[in-house]
Amino acid sequence: MLTLGCARNEVDSEELAGRLSGGGWELVDAEATPDVIVVNTCGFVESAKKDSVDTLLAAADTGAKVVAVGCMAERYGTELADSLPEAAAVLGFDHYPDLAERLGDVVSGHSIPSHVPVDRRTLLPISPVDRQATDVTVPGHAWGPTVARKRLDDGPVASLKIASGCDRRCSFCAIPSFRGSFVSRLPDEIVAEGVWLARQGVREVVLVSENSTSYGKDLGREHAGQGALEAVLTRLAAIPGIDRVRVSYLQPAETRPNLVRAIATTQGVADYFDMSFQHSSEPVLRRMRRFGNTESFLGLVEQIRELAPEAGIRSNVIVGFPGETEGDVDELARFLTEARLDAVGVFGYSDEDGTEAEGLDGKLDADTIAARVARISALAEELTTQRAEDRIGTEVVVLVESEETDDEDCVGRAAHQAPEVDGECVVLDGGKYAVGDLVRARVVDTEGVDLIVEAIEVIPRANPEPQ
């Protein structure tokens, strides 16, 4: 099984691996000779789609049967199948419950009709509170007595899905059309899966969704409303064996003071804020169908740092959106300069199939977009480097994730650093520490956004109950 894209896809792959194992399939290493290669594709932006197609073609070159699943397969279905005959099957989310049987059909040489895409928002009720009673397949939500998630690596960090889909209508984003409307998982299911992950040796769980700040709005009075996500955070942080809980994908317009306080001050919850700002110029944000502006965003940053001065704050921004002016870019630069975020991803705008922004006027040429990306990227790199330097002399708690470096140091992450997307910590003389160790350390130097740290002590593992 090959997985592309985001952490949400990784959770989906582990659910699929569990379904396949339960259906009699054996998951083999890449070096083995598989009968079938399942590629969990990404269909978010053009570069991700290209990576998915390249992976499918490379998988077909091995001689194995290739099955495409995931977001690109769901989004394009028959179109992808027609343009990629190398794939033996292109299956959508609704095939997931019967995937073991479908792979059997593939190996037997039977033809499976390709997935026919639909707008998945139309499959669920408009009213959020009516969605829990439907039987629509929602990837990553099936863990429980009948579907045993199967971990695809043995690292100390694992993602945990708390919701899927999105009810927002950002003009540049196609995700709701193929991921569907917003659906929360029940709190007890999330906590039970967290307990299971702890028993697999996980010390940090990363809560993922398309929009974590909407969590609970569809669960009814018993669970929903103000405090639903805060309550889940508190319960997860209390699980024996789980030392760190991290939340990702927060919408600034939905991030309320109580949630900020819970993330900033709850023991065991990383004081880390993955804020989806996207821009800060109000005219651009309105064309994106988003809320906020530079001043409101700076106020949110100030609110966070009043409670947790060392909190990590990261965001992504899009430059070159249709109608964006040089003044809009200057406003974004002002925000970044004053906010001093810990990590910033900078992306140039590109049209996405079926989105409102695809039809907007005021499109900018590729050279202009590239120049703006270069300008904001250089500024972001300078500012995040300075923010890292501000941490010299402070203490951090590092979760060791790799023992092997050229000079026998080890590598891990502090609370303000999320997997894959942020910087890391290099622990000097770290050869004596093992993957999964939690090490208290002092920051002595930096390399860009990466911290160089000296260990002070190892924090004992709080072992969970036996499985």
Side-chain angles (χ1 to χ4, degrees):
M1 177 168 286
L2 304 176
T3 306
L4 295 98
C6 64
R8 301 184 294 274
N9 252 19
E10 293 171 4
V11 175
D12 295 350
S13 285
E14 294 195 348
E15 178 188 290
L16 290 178
R19 288 184 183 276
L20 292 171
S21 295
W25 288 89
E26 179 186 357
L27 191 68
V28 299
D29 294 332
E31 296 77 17
T33 305
D35 297 307
V36 184
I37 298 176
V38 178
V39 181
N40 190 354
T41 60
C42 179
F44 181 37
V45 293
E46 200 60 40
S47 59
K49 293 179 227 176
K50 182 180 183 304
D51 287 345
S52 293
V53 170
D54 290 346
T55 301
L56 288 163
L57 291 173
D61 286 342
T62 67
K65 301 281 189 179
V66 177
V67 174
V69 299
C71 290
M72 190 175 184
E74 175 66 36
R75 185 176 182 184
Y76 293 103
T78 50
E79 180 183 344
L80 177 61
D82 291 343
S83 63
L84 199 72
E86 291 85 353
V90 175
L91 306 179
F93 297 152
D94 293 332
H95 288 98
Y96 283 15
D98 303 314
L99 188 62
E101 290 84 351
R102 298 293 75 77
L103 295 197
D105 293 338
V106 167
V107 170
S108 300
H110 295 118
S111 177
I112 304 174
S114 299
H115 166 65
V116 178
V118 297
D119 187 332
R120 292 193 71 83
R121 290 171 294 192
T122 64
L123 303 181
L124 289 167
I126 294 175
S127 174
V129 296
D130 293 331
R131 294 172 189 165
Q132 292 291 323
T134 65
D135 57 0
V136 173
T137 299
V138 182
H141 286 220
W143 183 89
T146 59
V147 179
R149 174 178 174 179
K150 182 179 180 66
R151 293 211 66 205
L152 298 178
D153 67 61
D154 57 359
V157 182
S159 296
L160 176 54
K161 188 172 283 193
I162 62 171
S164 289
C166 186
D167 288 341
R168 301 185 72 87
R169 294 295 180 265
C170 301
S171 63
F172 56 84
C173 183
I175 288 176
S177 67
F178 57 87
R179 275 290 183 177
S181 299
F182 185 87
V183 181
S184 301
R185 294 182 67 194
L186 293 173
D188 288 350
E189 292 178 3
I190 295 170
V191 174
E193 189 167 350
V195 171
W196 179 83
L197 287 170
R199 290 171 177 169
Q200 311 306 306
V202 170
R203 298 193 77 173
E204 176 179 324
V205 292
V206 182
L207 307 187
V208 297
S209 69
E210 275 74 30
N211 177 9
S212 296
T213 38
S214 284
Y215 178 76
K217 73 174 188 177
D218 55 324
L219 295 181
R221 293 182 180 178
E222 181 182 356
H223 302 290
Q226 195 76 15
L229 180 56
E230 294 93 309
V232 167
L233 286 172
T234 300
R235 292 180 65 185
L236 288 169
I239 295 173
I242 298 298
D243 294 281
R244 183 185 290 164
V245 180
R246 185 183 305 276
V247 190
S248 58
Y249 308 110
L250 302 175
Q251 287 288 344
E254 298 178 28
T255 302
R256 303 290 183 257
N258 284 348
L259 178 59
V260 172
R261 181 173 298 279
I263 295 174
T265 64
T266 301
Q267 181 69 29
V269 175
D271 49 355
Y272 175 83
F273 294 81
D274 178 10
M275 307 301 306
S276 179
F277 290 123
Q278 302 300 348
H279 211 286
S280 73
S281 168
E282 191 163 358
V284 174
L285 288 166
R286 295 302 173 271
R287 286 192 291 273
M288 289 180 169
R289 296 206 178 276
R290 296 178 64 85
F291 300 96
N293 53 39
T294 296
E295 301 310 325
S296 67
F297 291 166
L298 288 175
L300 180 55
V301 170
E302 181 181 4
Q303 183 185 144
I304 291 168
R305 295 220 167 109
E306 283 180 355
L307 292 168
E310 302 301 323
I313 309 175
R314 82 163 329 270
S315 190
N316 294 323
V317 297
I318 299 172
V319 294
F321 194 78
E324 181 189 65
T325 66
E326 287 291 348
D328 294 325
V329 181
D330 291 342
E331 184 69 0
L332 175 59
R334 180 173 81 87
F335 166 67
L336 294 175
T337 301
E338 295 186 29
R340 297 179 64 81
L341 306 179
D342 293 86
V344 181
V346 182
F347 298 89
Y349 171 80
S350 61
D351 285 336
E352 274 297 303
D353 298 337
T355 61
E356 179 186 353
E358 187 181 23
L360 292 178
D361 57 14
K363 296 286 178 65
L364 303 177
D365 62 74
D367 289 344
T368 299
I369 293 175
R372 293 181 180 181
V373 169
R375 173 191 170 187
I376 296 299
S377 295
L379 175 63
E381 182 177 0
E382 177 184 357
L383 293 169
T384 54
T385 297
Q386 291 173 2
R387 175 69 175 162
E389 290 170 350
D390 290 344
R391 296 185 183 275
I392 294 176
T394 65
E395 289 187 7
V396 292
V397 175
V398 179
L399 178 60
V400 176
E401 295 181 327
S402 171
E403 296 172 297
E404 299 179 5
T405 64
D406 293 340
D407 52 7
E408 308 222 337
D409 301 329
C410 66
V411 176
R413 291 176 301 100
H416 71 281
Q417 298 167 321
E420 307 294 339
V421 294
D422 299 334
E424 60 188 18
C425 292
V426 178
V427 184
L428 299 176
D429 190 25
K432 55 191 172 183
Y433 304 116
V435 170
D437 281 348
L438 211 57
V439 179
R440 190 182 311 280
R442 181 174 292 104
V443 181
V444 296
D445 203 355
T446 64
E447 291 182 2
V449 296
D450 296 336
L451 305 183
I452 312 301
V453 304
E454 291 181 343
I456 299 172
E457 63 176 345
V458 176
I459 298 174
R461 183 185 296 267
N463 291 321
E465 296 293 328
Q467 188 168 9

